[in-house]
């Protein structure tokens, strides 16, 4: 779900920031990169990167403090609900 910290198969650390309704295991992930400002962090759409996958979920305590601050999961998470059935 959005707000989940993850490690990708290439070793990158990121934060799930969007969900693909059709393939929940292929979300949008904001990636931590040293030297890049958080507002410029790359966002990877795992639907468009078939060679990448999520290898594991992480806890904030698993990260170095600077990485946790960069991704800051609590400040980036927001949930939106939309009805998918036509009523």
């Amino acid at each position: 779900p959005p707000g989940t910290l993850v490690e990708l198969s290439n070793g990158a650390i990121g934060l799930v920031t969007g969900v693909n309704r059709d393939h929940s295991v292929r979300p949008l992930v904001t990636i931590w990169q040293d030297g890049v400002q958080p507002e410029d962090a790359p966002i990877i759409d795992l639907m468009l990167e078939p060679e990448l996958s999520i290898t594991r979920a992480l806890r904030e305590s698993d990260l170095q403090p600077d990485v946790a601050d960069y991704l800051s999961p609590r400040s980036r998470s927001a949930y939106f609900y939309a009805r998918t059935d036509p009523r």
Side-chain angles (χ1 to χ4, degrees):
T4 303
L5 293 163
V6 294
E7 182 178 354
L8 300 183
S9 55
N10 66 355
I13 302 297
L15 177 73
V16 174
T17 52
V19 177
N20 182 322
R21 288 187 322 173
D22 297 324
H23 298 283
S24 61
V25 296
R26 310 290 304 163
L28 294 173
V29 180
T30 299
I31 301 298
W32 171 78
Q33 277 191 333
D34 193 24
V36 175
Q37 294 298 314
E39 59 272 9
D40 297 325
I43 299 173
I44 295 177
D45 183 345
L46 291 180
M47 283 296 295
L48 303 177
E49 302 289 340
E51 72 283 357
L52 291 177
S53 61
I54 294 172
T55 56
R56 65 185 180 129
L58 301 169
R59 291 182 297 251
E60 193 170 344
S61 62
D62 294 332
L63 304 177
Q64 295 176 2
D66 60 328
V67 177
D69 288 343
Y70 182 98
L71 293 172
S72 80
R74 285 186 247 343
S75 68
R76 291 183 184 242
S77 297
Y79 297 93
F80 298 93
Y81 298 93
R83 180 177 282 174
T84 58
D85 62 328
R87 287 190 190 182

